Amino acid sequence: MKILVKRIYEPAAEADGFRVLVDRLWPRGMSKARAALDLWLPDLGPSTGLRKWFNHDPARWKDFCVRYRAELRDRKRLLDVIRQRAQEGPVTLLYSARDEQWNQEVVLQRVVKQSTGRKRVGT
């Protein structure tokens, strides 16, 4: 399973595979054609309150990760969309933040990868 993370402002590439934007807000200055998206899942992005609180402050990173993971627990069906696509080929999670190290896609990528190895009972 290959799950990549990439800034949406970088050019689309064939190696990206299935391209998913996981931001609640549409990226500034980005046209739909240039985004070259396969899917936009705004509800997988952090809540507005969490996003504003975090504000890409590295001092809040650990707390942000805990809070965002808690939010993702209620979004299993959306996470399953990414997992299913990743079984078919590469998936690239796209984000618009300038900060490549302290952003939600890093957390989301880990959550998706960690949970794919587990058996899900009753699904």
Side-chain angles (χ1 to χ4, degrees):
M1 178 174 308
K2 190 172 186 180
I3 300 173
L4 308 167
V5 174
K6 185 175 184 178
R7 197 157 183 255
I8 195 163
Y9 299 104
E10 295 176 36
E14 191 174 323
D16 292 345
F18 192 79
R19 293 171 50 90
V20 183
L21 175 62
V22 191
D23 276 350
R24 283 198 179 269
L25 305 174
W26 187 261
R28 289 183 187 171
M30 177 61 62
S31 70
K32 289 186 179 186
R34 194 171 125 219
L37 291 182
D38 294 298
L39 185 61
W40 180 22
L41 294 174
D43 291 335
L44 266 182
S47 65
T48 301
L50 180 57
R51 180 179 50 81
K52 287 181 178 182
W53 170 83
F54 174 50
N55 197 31
H56 298 280
D57 181 352
R60 295 183 175 176
W61 176 247
K62 287 184 181 180
D63 286 337
F64 171 78
C65 291
V66 170
R67 293 176 185 191
Y68 184 39
R69 282 176 178 266
E71 288 185 357
L72 289 173
R73 282 188 212 111
D74 295 332
R75 300 178 187 147
K76 290 180 182 182
R77 290 173 56 200
L78 295 174
L79 290 168
D80 284 342
V81 171
I82 295 172
R83 289 183 192 109
Q84 183 177 13
R85 284 296 184 159
Q87 290 174 354
E88 299 168 11
V91 171
T92 298
L93 304 175
L94 301 164
Y95 66 94
S96 59
R98 290 184 186 144
D99 192 327
E100 294 180 19
Q101 186 176 2
W102 315 107
N103 70 68
Q104 75 265 14
E105 300 326 301
V106 174
V107 178
L108 185 57
Q109 180 186 38
R110 288 180 189 150
V111 167
V112 172
K113 283 185 173 183
Q114 287 172 350
S115 59
T116 53
R118 299 179 193 149
K119 275 189 171 178
R120 290 188 305 276
V121 179
T123 56

